[in-house]
Amino acid sequence: MTKRRDFLAANAGRRAPMPGFVLLVHDRRDADPAIRVGFTVTKKIGNAVVRNRMKRRLRALARELLPTLGHAGADHVLIGRQGGIERDYGLLRTEMTKALRKVMSQPATSSRPSSSAKPAC
């Protein structure tokens, strides 16, 4: 994925926060069964070298796990977190497996509360 609108649409989908990354999954609801994936790491994580290293780790995870555990016809976005660069790759793989299973078990509608909801007094 390269277009901003695709990343924004994925933000409205299901999410699974993990210590090393956040996984967002958005069902495109089109006839295309392709699994699309996008990566993002903010400047808060570190300089360009650190951010690119984190993206390489996330790409390796996606290449390894998404063909078998990913949701067909959905966009998957991996957002790198601060602790992800120091985490062991095996631990990241375990977290990714857990996140994919968690997201697939969530209902299709977003479980996040809407921003316009007012708390009950």
Side-chain angles (χ1 to χ4, degrees), residues 10-102:
N11 195 37
R14 296 171 283 180
R15 64 181 50 230
M18 293 289 150
F21 60 89
V22 177
L23 173 67
L24 307 174
V25 178
H26 178 255
D27 189 3
R28 292 188 311 269
R29 292 183 175 89
D30 59 6
D32 187 11
I35 296 175
R36 297 193 317 177
V37 64
F39 307 95
T40 183
V41 180
T42 66
K43 288 186 177 182
K44 290 186 214 174
I45 303 303
N47 62 16
V49 174
V50 173
R51 292 192 311 268
N52 286 334
R53 184 171 176 229
M54 185 66 201
K55 283 192 264 188
R56 282 194 306 271
R57 297 183 92 195
L58 294 175
R59 278 190 206 107
L61 283 171
R63 196 175 311 122
E64 182 179 346
L65 297 174
L66 283 183
T68 56
L69 297 174
H71 182 59
D75 291 339
H76 298 71
V77 176
L78 288 162
I79 303 170
R81 288 182 125 177
Q82 185 68 38
I85 198 69
E86 293 92 15
R87 294 183 83 73
D88 180 55
Y89 184 79
L91 186 57
L92 282 175
R93 186 179 329 117
T94 304
E95 290 172 355
M96 177 75 157
T97 304
K98 182 179 173 184
L100 285 166
R101 289 194 175 123
K102 177 182 175 183

